[in-house]
Amino acid sequence: MESGSQPPEGPQAPPPLPQAPPYEPMSEAQGAASGWEGRPLASWGSRVGATLIDWLILIVPIAVLITLVVIVAFSSDVGAIAVGVFSGVAYLVAVFLYAPVLMAREGAGNGQTWGKQIVGIRAVRDGGQPFDFGSALLREFVIKGLLFGTVGGWFFGIPTLLDYLWPLWDDENRCLHDMVAKTHVVRG
């Protein structure tokens, strides 16, 4: 070999691999886990059972109030009217606030009324956020109560009946009010 000559070059080294971007945890908005995907959905029967239990929980106090009004009516007409009006208003407030207040609870009870809790099901928001009072009031009072209950009653109850029966043929066991409120009802 000549003293000034270079040895022949060997195989060329491969180009460097592209570097992965540095790891950054996803923000809540980017990576919020869905509240229902992968979880077993509640059956129609368990939903009906929870609703019946909730109705019973609300009917027992009205029976007590009616008994109280009847007892007071035997002693005073004015007292019966006062007790009746006060009891009626108190009962309406309880009916309207029962589900939203219970569903907005923090922790394990979030998304559950007492009926849902007894049956072992819960409502979850599609985005995975817990229920707060506003979202629970929207789902339970505005959509279920006013839209499907009251307004649906104006149309011979057909929308209300469809709302209750819709999970029987829906792939995700959702009522119409669940679709409007963007919620699912799951076991657990």
Side-chain angles (χ1 to χ4, degrees), residues 3 18 44 60 62 64 76 99 113 115 133 144 148-149 161 165 172 183:
S3 63
W44 183 76
V60 169
I62 196 68
V64 171
S76 165
T113 60
F133 182 77
K144 280 175 70 174
F148 286 104
L161 183 63
L165 296 178
E172 296 175 352
T183 60

Side-chain angles (χ1 to χ4, degrees), residues 103 110-112 116 121-125 131 139 184-186:
M103 288 182 63
N110 190 265
Q112 292 182 310
K116 285 181 178 70
I121 62 175
R122 79 177 54 252
V124 293
R125 296 171 69 187
F131 276 97
R139 180 183 190 271
H184 281 77
V185 179
V186 297

